Amino acid sequence: MPFTHCHGSRKPTRRLATAMDNGLRLFTGGTQTTSSVGPFAVKEVEQVVVETRAGNRPSPTGCQARELHVTGTAEVSYPADRASVRLSVGNSKATVNEVTSSVSRRLEYILQAVRQHGVREDDVTVRKFLHRDQELYHMNAEVIVTFSDFDKMEHACSVLLEKLDRSVSVGQPIFFHSTECRNRVRQSACVSAVENAQQKASRISQLLGQSLGAPTLVREDETWEWRSHDGDEDNDDGGGGRRGQEATSTHVTLPRIPNVTASSRVSVYFRMRDENRKKY
């Protein structure tokens, strides 16, 4: 279905077509463009505009160039890839040497345990604090460990609780996304949006009996990013009220692994060629 009209003595006419229930507008003649009336639109521009975008490829007939403008959107979600756990030990003794030796032994066991579970030194932070209260010396040590393998994290915490018992305090893990993970989410969303736009343009060109050419412009119009938060589902007892003293006292909320979601919207311009016309 050709819809390009070359400049001549006769005034150009304008035709309107609708396709794919999306308000697709086709104009022939002149330099008028369509407005944004849906997720995609076909518009005609003068050859000089397309030359600027496509690299100075003049038309031998001087006809107007045809472009297909489509938009594509996509959302991509990734779970957290890091978790931080706080481990604490402490003791009180009559002398500095005694309390330092006692805490240092426990601290060394903690560091050895996390190293055996594949944690790098760069992912371990150690803090110590010594103070005196009347006749006793108190020493507290804190280890913050960042895990990238959550199974190893759970196993390491279990080992420490089993071996050190009440002398160690293991905090709840705090899940978060690394910088590399967030960048990967944004890139994946943009690439998926471009793929969706290309698929849409291919279907439109087939419907119109045209051949889809190379893209002349790809632009990311908007991007969003948000992180999911823990909901209140665990606090809901299903509408049955309290289930007894034992159930209430033993109920523990397990930490959830949050997701980060990135959304992208892109605009892509494609050349369109009439399959029935002679290709230059």
Side-chain angles (χ1 to χ4, degrees), residues 12 31 34 46 51-52 71 73 83 92 95 98 116 133 157 161 167-168 191 193 208 236 244 250 265 267:
T31 61
T34 65
E46 289 187 351
E51 288 176 356
T52 302
T71 60
T73 59
S92 301
T95 65
E98 290 177 343
Q116 290 176 351
D133 184 8
C157 293
L161 287 172
S167 63
V168 63
V191 171
L208 301 178
D236 188 3
T250 58
R265 183 169 69 87
S267 295

Side-chain angles (χ1 to χ4, degrees), residues 37-258:
V37 292
F40 55 84
V42 175
K43 68 176 183 179
E44 290 183 327
V45 295
E46 289 187 351
Q47 184 68 27
V48 62
V49 177
V50 179
E51 288 176 356
T52 302
R53 294 173 179 168
N56 296 327
R57 294 170 56 184
S59 171
T61 61
C63 297
Q64 291 175 321
R66 292 161 296 171
E67 277 191 342
L68 174 64
H69 171 209
V70 296
T71 60
T73 59
E75 288 186 2
V76 176
S77 297
Y78 274 59
D81 62 335
R82 296 288 189 275
S84 177
V85 179
R86 186 187 304 269
L87 308 170
S88 303
V89 292
N91 207 343
S92 301
K93 295 290 183 179
T95 65
V96 174
N97 291 335
E98 290 177 343
V99 71
T100 301
S101 175
S102 175
V103 173
S104 296
R105 287 195 304 268
R106 294 177 174 88
L107 185 59
E108 181 59 31
Y109 185 85
I110 293 175
L111 296 177
Q112 180 181 358
V114 297
R115 284 195 297 265
Q116 290 176 351
H117 286 81
V119 178
R120 303 177 305 172
E121 293 185 2
D122 295 341
D123 293 328
V124 178
T125 302
V126 179
R127 297 175 57 193
K128 300 178 183 179
F129 180 67
L130 176 66
H131 68 282
R132 180 178 178 179
D133 184 8
Q134 296 181 357
E135 299 300 327
L136 292 178
Y137 291 92
H138 305 274
M139 185 172 187
N140 298 298
E142 179 184 79
V143 182
I144 300 178
V145 186
T146 300
F147 290 90
S148 58
D149 188 321
F150 299 158
D151 292 334
K152 291 183 178 180
M153 173 191 69
E154 295 176 0
H155 187 262
C157 293
S158 299
V159 169
L160 292 174
L161 287 172
E162 179 183 357
K163 298 299 182 180
L164 299 180
D165 197 17
R166 295 185 179 181
S167 63
V168 63
S169 175
V170 179
Q172 290 277 14
I174 300 175
F175 296 95
F176 62 97
H177 293 80
S178 63
T179 302
E180 296 79 7
C181 180
R182 294 168 66 109
N183 291 337
R184 188 162 58 248
V185 173
R186 299 187 192 104
Q187 294 173 5
S188 298
C190 182
V191 171
S192 297
V194 173
E195 291 176 349
N196 293 338
Q198 184 180 26
Q199 294 175 4
K200 184 190 299 184
S202 179
R203 294 183 59 187
I204 296 172
S205 61
Q206 292 176 5
L207 178 64
L208 301 178
Q210 306 293 310
S211 177
L212 187 67
T216 61
L217 177 66
V218 179
R219 181 182 66 239
E220 186 174 40
D221 299 323
E222 293 179 326
T223 180
W224 305 271
E225 180 182 329
W226 63 93
R227 186 175 183 268
S228 64
H229 299 281
D230 291 346
D232 298 328
E233 292 83 0
D234 288 342
N235 297 327
D236 188 3
D237 59 4
R242 300 183 64 179
R243 301 180 182 179
Q245 182 68 26
E246 181 179 357
T248 303
S249 60
T250 58
H251 177 71
V252 177
T253 301
L254 297 177
R256 297 183 179 182
I257 301 178

